[in-house]
C-alpha cells in the first residue's frame, strides 16, 4: 500500500442510509504530494471510468484511470499530469460522486507498471479509453501472430505444391494422350506403308514376268500384264500420296519414306524400260 493508505477492506454499503454531501478525504499526507490518487470505498456499481472521469477531469489532465485497483472492485487509481492537479482534487471539499463515504488518498507507486496495471486492464488516457497490455501479453500476442503467420506460410506452400502437382499430373496425362495418338498414327502409317510395299512388290513381279517372257509370251497375255502394271502404277501413286499426306499431317517423316520413294523410283524406271522394250 502507499504511504498513509489504510489496509482497504470491502465496505458494506448496505449500512449506508443514503448518500451524504460531505467530502471524504483520507490520510496519507505524510507521504507527500503525488500525481496519483487512490480512491477507496466506491460503490461497485459506481466504480466506472464513465463516472470517475467527469468528476476528476475538472481538476486537471487525467493521464490514467484504473478501476478495480489492486483487484478491489471498490477502488480506483487516478494519475494526473502534475502534482498540482492531483493536490487540487485531493483538497477539494466536494463529495465524490455525491457520496461522503468515498475516500481519496495520496498514492506513491512503489511497484512496477506491470504490477500496478496488471494484465489487460482498461484505463483512460484523458478522454480516451484504451487497453493496457503487459510485456508478457505483448510477447504472447507476438508469438501467436508469428505462429499464425508461419501456419499461413505453410498453408500457402502446401497449396502451391498441390497446384504444381496438379499441373504435373495434367502435363503427364497430356503427354500420355499425345504418345497414344502418335502410336496410333505410327500404326496407321505402317499399315499404309505395308500396303504400298505390297503393291510395289506385285508390280516388280509383273515386270519380271514380262521381261522373262520376251519372244515367247503371247500378245494377249502380254497385254493383260501391261494392263495390270498400269493399274498397279495408279494404285502405287495413290498409296504414295496417301503416305506422304499422312506423314506431313502427323509430322512423322522418317527415313522409311525416303526408302519408299527410292523403291518407287526404281519401279518406275523398270516399268519405263519394259515399255520401251515392248515397243521395239
Amino acid at each position: 500500500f502507499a504511504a498513509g493508505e489504510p489496509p482497504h477492506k470491502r465496505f458494506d454499503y448496505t449500512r449506508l442510509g443514503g448518500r451524504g454531501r460531505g467530502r471524504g478525504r483520507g490520510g496519507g499526507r505524510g507521504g507527500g504530494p503525488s500525481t496519483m490518487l487512490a480512491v477507496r470505498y466506491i460503490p461497485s456499481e459506481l466504480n466506472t471510468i464513465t463516472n470517475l472521469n467527469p468528476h476528476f477531469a475538472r481538476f486537471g489532465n487525467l493521464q490514467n484511470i484504473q478501476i478495480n485497483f489492486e483487484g478491489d472492485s471498490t477502488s480506483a487509481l487516478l494519475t494526473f499530469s502534475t502534482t498540482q492537479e492531483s493536490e487540487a482534487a485531493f483538497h477539494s471539499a466536494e463529495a465524490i460522486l455525491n457520496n461522503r463515504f468515498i475516500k481519496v488518498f495520496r498514492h506513491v507507486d512503489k511497484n512496477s507498471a506491470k504490477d500496478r496495471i496488471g494484465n489487460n486492464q482498461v484505463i483512460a488516457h484523458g478522454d480516451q479509453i484504451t487497453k493496457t497490455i503487459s510485456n508478457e501479453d505483448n510477447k504472447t500476442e507476438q508469438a501467436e501472430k508469428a505462429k499464425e503467420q508461419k501456419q499461413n506460410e505453410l498453408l500457402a506452400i502446401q497449396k502451391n505444391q498441390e497446384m504444381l502437382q496438379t499441373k504435373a499430373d495434367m502435363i503427364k496425362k497430356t503427354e500420355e494422350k499425345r504418345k497414344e495418338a502418335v502410336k496410333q498414327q505410327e500404326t496407321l502409317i505402317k499399315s499404309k506403308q505395308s500396303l504400298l510395299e505390297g503393291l510395289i512388290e506385285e508390280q516388280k513381279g509383273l515386270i519380271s514376268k514380262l521381261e522373262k517372257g520376251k519372244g515367247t509370251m503371247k500378245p494377249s497375255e502380254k497385254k493383260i500384264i501391261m494392263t495390270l502394271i498400269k493399274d498397279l502404277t495408279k494404285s502405287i501413286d495413290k498409296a504414295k500420296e496417301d503416305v506422304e499426306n499422312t506423314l506431313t499431317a502427323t509430322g512423322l517423316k522418317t527415313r522409311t519414306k525416303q526408302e519408299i520413294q527410292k523403291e518407287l523410283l526404281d519401279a518406275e524406271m523398270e516399268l519405263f524400260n519394259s515399255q520401251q522394250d515392248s515397243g521395239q
Side-chain angles (χ1 to χ4, degrees):
F1 298 101
E5 289 185 44
H8 56 280
K9 299 181 179 178
R10 296 185 181 277
F11 190 78
D12 184 6
Y13 292 98
T14 59
R15 295 188 293 107
L16 299 179
R19 295 182 179 178
R21 298 185 54 83
R23 168 68 168 88
R25 188 164 60 239
R29 298 183 184 182
S34 170
T35 58
M36 289 179 286
L37 297 177
V39 184
R40 305 290 187 184
Y41 314 127
I42 310 169
S44 299
E45 67 274 12
L46 299 179
N47 191 13
T48 64
I49 292 176
T50 54
N51 285 328
L52 296 175
N53 188 58
H55 176 85
F56 287 98
R58 294 176 296 172
F59 302 104
N61 183 23
L62 278 170
Q63 296 297 309
N64 292 323
I65 298 179
Q66 183 184 338
I67 60 174
N68 297 330
F69 178 48
E70 295 178 337
D72 183 2
S73 63
T74 67
S75 297
L77 182 66
L78 312 179
T79 303
F80 288 87
S81 297
T82 66
T83 56
Q84 290 80 5
E85 294 171 345
S86 65
E87 284 295 293
F90 180 77
H91 290 287
S92 173
E94 182 180 354
I96 301 172
L97 303 180
N98 198 29
N99 189 319
R100 63 186 179 86
F101 293 98
I102 299 176
K103 303 294 183 180
V104 61
F105 303 86
R106 292 191 182 99
H107 181 82
V108 177
D109 188 8
K110 294 183 179 181
N111 298 319
S112 66
K114 172 193 167 184
D115 295 333
R116 178 170 57 84
I117 296 175
N119 294 329
N120 301 338
Q121 293 200 33
V122 176
I123 60 176
H125 296 277
D127 295 331
Q128 297 181 350
I129 298 176
T130 61
K131 186 178 184 182
T132 300
I133 302 175
S134 66
N135 291 335
E136 282 72 13
D137 294 325
N138 285 331
K139 291 179 181 179
T140 301
E141 184 177 357
Q142 291 174 1
E144 290 295 331
K145 288 182 179 179
K147 182 178 179 181
E148 182 179 359
Q149 182 179 0
K150 186 175 181 180
Q151 290 176 345
N152 291 335
E153 290 175 353
L154 291 175
L155 183 61
I157 292 174
Q158 183 180 357
K159 288 183 178 180
N160 186 54
Q161 290 177 342
E162 291 176 353
M163 182 180 66
L164 291 176
Q165 184 62 42
T166 301
K167 185 177 180 181
D169 293 341
M170 291 177 63
I171 293 175
K172 183 178 179 181
K173 290 181 180 179
T174 302
E175 182 64 17
E176 290 176 352
K177 289 182 180 180
R178 188 192 70 81
K179 289 181 178 180
E180 182 64 24
V182 169
K183 185 177 180 180
Q184 292 177 356
Q185 292 169 352
E186 288 177 345
T187 301
L188 177 61
I189 290 174
K190 287 181 180 179
S191 176
K192 292 182 178 181
Q193 287 177 341
S194 297
L195 175 62
L196 178 59
E197 289 171 359
L199 292 174
I200 291 173
E201 290 299 323
E202 185 177 355
Q203 187 187 55
K204 286 181 179 180
L206 290 174
I207 292 173
S208 177
K209 184 177 181 180
L210 187 63
E211 289 177 348
K212 290 178 181 180
K214 286 182 181 180
T216 58
M217 185 178 293
K218 295 180 180 180
S220 58
E221 187 179 357
K222 181 178 180 181
K223 184 177 180 182
I224 292 173
I225 293 175
M226 290 298 297
T227 300
L228 291 173
I229 290 175
K230 289 180 179 179
D231 292 340
L232 282 172
T233 300
K234 292 179 180 179
S235 298
I236 288 171
D237 290 340
K238 184 177 180 181
K240 176 184 175 183
E241 183 180 359
D242 191 15
V243 171
E244 289 178 345
N245 291 337
T246 303
L247 288 171
T248 301
T250 58
L252 297 175
K253 294 183 179 181
T254 61
R255 190 165 177 267
T256 303
K257 177 186 175 182
Q258 296 175 351
E259 294 174 354
I260 293 174
Q261 289 177 340
K262 185 176 183 300
E263 291 178 0
L264 288 174
L265 181 60
D266 293 341
E268 288 174 355
M269 288 299 295
E270 289 180 5
L271 177 61
F272 177 76
N273 293 331
S274 176
Q275 289 175 345
Q276 290 295 325
D277 294 336
S278 299
Q280 292 178 355

